[in-house]
Amino acid sequence: MQKDKEQEGNMQTETPQTMKAIQIHTYGGPEVLVYEEVPRPRVAPGEVLIRVCAAGVYPGDWYRRSGYTNFPEADRPPMSVSLPFIPGSQVSGIVETIGSGVSAFHEGDAVYGLLRFPGEVPAECYAEYVTAPAFDLALKPASIDHLHAAAVPMAGLTAWQGIVEHTNLSAGQTVLVNGAAGGVGHFAVQLAKARGARVIGVASKRHETFLRELGVDVFIDYATTPVEQEVRDVDLVIDTVGTMEYNSLLLTLKHGGRLVWIGLRPLKNGMGTEYAEAGVTIEKIQVRSNGAHLAEIGELINAGRVRVTIDAVVPLAEARKAHERGEAGHLRGVIVLHAAE
Ligand SMILES: NC(=O)c1ccc[n+]([C@@H]2O[C@H](COP(=O)([O-])OP(=O)(O)OC[C@H]3O[C@@H](n4cnc5c(N)ncnc54)[C@H](OP(=O)(O)O)[C@@H]3O)[C@@H](O)[C@H]2O)c1
């Protein structure tokens, strides 16, 4: 009897070996996102195990899910990841276990991060638990909940690295943000305003009030106004939409101006040289994980200078609906999966 009780007690404290997660067994439409039981990840040296409260969703998640079929064949990245895999690169949650060598975080800390990005395999954030390199994490901004925090890492870091790290934007300069209401765009607008720039936001009409509230000085509805005919003398274009076949937004730049291109497809050979002759430069950037940069964004959020917008919250088990929403387009902010409180 006594022994039975002891066994029962031991079973109750044992860590479960499995968890629920979304897995992709075959490339295809949103229906290939399957909610099922999988092994729970184990923490390695330099990492922490996070109990996921929320996971952010971004366009790369559905590009990868579909096997990049929306890309021209020549531009498709190598499909190095083996099936099945758990998608997702960004998370907000609670530190459950600390790996050896980690001193920056403690059990119970609320953290957020873009994990192992860019990497050949996704960081597996569409799950109840995920392991994360400590370097990729920052403490969650205290002023926002996990749902809002999960919306920040990918889009916020892309905008921050594009505006703060890659360019030397100064007060009084003019920035044009194309795709201004989307995940990256809405952070880019606010980061440019925070640096004292004049901001032109390009989006569809439905986002005008939202973007004016975020601080855009000039709003342009791309459906009714040809931007390249209306705008001149821009110092910096942040383009989250255009392709590099030919980018008409280059015509809006002043001599010495710069276009930062945030898209997945590679730059066409020779593009740099071609536009150097016109006195403007073009730079494709690739976001990367960085906990220190996230901590800086967190300070701006806590100070009320950057507002995080969620387009939709979807339960983790119904991730399919999140991808359906994403692929319908016209996002305002970021889609988030809700995993736990
Ligand atoms: N380089 C990198 O490291 C990096 C990092 C993150 C994301 N990305 C890529 O960057 C792109 C944007 O990401 P995101 O998360 O911001 O996407 P998103 O949230 O879907 O935002 C895209 C925005 O563009 C607007 N839009 C669509 N067509 C437009 C047009 N012709 N002119 C102006 N705006 C238009 C959409 O709404 P409206 O049409 O209603 O205005 C939407 O608000 C994706 O391709 C993503 O994969 C790259």
Side-chain angles (χ1 to χ4, degrees):
M1 190 72 158
Q2 177 65 29
K3 209 168 177 192
D4 283 354
K5 281 223 165 109
E6 271 171 25
Q7 265 177 359
E8 206 177 287
N10 286 343
M11 278 171 72
Q12 275 169 5
T13 53
E14 245 177 44
T15 309
Q17 299 297 302
T18 61
M19 65 173 183
K20 290 285 194 189
I22 294 289
Q23 281 214 110
I24 294 176
H25 291 261
T26 175
Y27 298 113
E31 70 284 352
V32 303
L33 298 166
V34 182
Y35 187 61
E36 60 191 2
E37 202 82 15
V38 298
R40 195 193 270 219
R42 286 176 187 279
V43 74
E47 294 182 344
V48 303
L49 178 72
I50 298 173
R51 181 168 63 79
V52 178
C53 295
V57 175
Y58 99 111
D61 294 351
W62 58 83
Y63 301 159
R64 191 192 282 268
R65 185 215 68 223
S66 67
Y68 296 103
T69 47
N70 59 330
F71 284 35
E73 211 158 324
D75 292 350
R76 285 182 198 164
M79 301 299 287
S80 45
V81 53
S82 59
L83 295 164
F85 69 91
I86 300 171
S89 309
Q90 46 183 339
V91 66
S92 183
I94 305 290
V95 174
E96 178 103 348
T97 313
I98 302 279
S100 61
V102 176
S103 55
F105 300 101
H106 304 96
E107 281 178 22
D109 280 349
V111 292
Y112 72 146
L114 173 68
L115 310 185
R116 302 188 185 89
F117 202 91
E120 297 228 319
V121 291
E124 306 189 336
C125 294
Y126 288 18
E128 289 181 318
Y129 291 87
V130 68
T131 57
F135 174 84
D136 296 352
L137 298 172
L139 291 174
K140 176 182 78 63
S143 60
I144 55 172
D145 60 19
H146 285 289
L147 291 171
H148 285 82
V152 178
M154 175 65 79
L157 280 173
T158 305
W160 196 92
Q161 289 170 3
I163 285 186
V164 177
E165 196 184 41
H166 287 269
T167 62
N168 199 13
L169 185 64
S170 50
Q173 289 191 312
T174 298
V175 179
L176 184 148
V177 180
N178 193 31
V184 178
H186 91 291
F187 285 115
V189 164
Q190 297 178 84
L191 291 170
K193 287 304 293 181
R195 289 178 85 83
R198 173 176 169 267
V199 177
I200 302 169
V202 180
S204 64
K205 178 77 182 159
R206 57 172 72 73
H207 303 304
E208 179 170 1
T209 306
F210 166 68
L211 287 170
R212 290 197 187 280
E213 281 168 11
L214 289 189
V216 298
D217 300 282
V218 178
F219 171 82
I220 298 180
D221 173 4
Y222 65 81
T224 55
T225 309
V227 182
E228 70 280 8
Q229 285 173 26
E230 290 294 310
V231 181
R232 285 285 175 275
D233 289 335
V234 166
D235 295 282
L236 172 67
V237 169
I238 300 285
D239 187 6
T240 77
V241 181
T243 72
M244 293 318 302
E245 302 303 326
Y246 172 70
N247 196 316
S248 59
L249 293 179
L250 288 163
L251 300 173
T252 69
L253 287 169
K254 65 163 61 155
H255 192 87
R258 178 187 274 199
L259 184 145
V260 168
W261 181 54
I262 295 166
L264 280 183
R265 288 166 58 182
L267 277 179
K268 275 181 81 180
N269 284 343
M271 289 294 285
T273 337
E274 192 180 325
Y275 288 101
E277 284 159 18
V280 298
T281 55
I282 184 163
E283 185 184 4
K284 173 175 165 34
I285 67 158
Q286 172 61 65
V287 68
R288 60 193 199 289
S289 300
N290 191 310
H293 290 174
L294 263 185
E296 295 207 34
I297 298 169
E299 281 177 25
L300 291 168
I301 293 170
N302 281 336
R305 302 186 75 190
V306 169
R307 198 170 99 190
V308 182
T309 301
I310 294 179
D311 179 277
V313 177
V314 176
L316 173 64
E318 297 170 29
R320 177 182 54 81
K321 290 184 184 162
H323 280 216
E324 283 167 359
R325 165 68 197 106
E327 287 175 296
H330 302 300
L331 266 65
R332 181 178 301 166
V334 178
I335 303 168
V336 174
L337 297 175
H338 185 197
E341 294 310 316

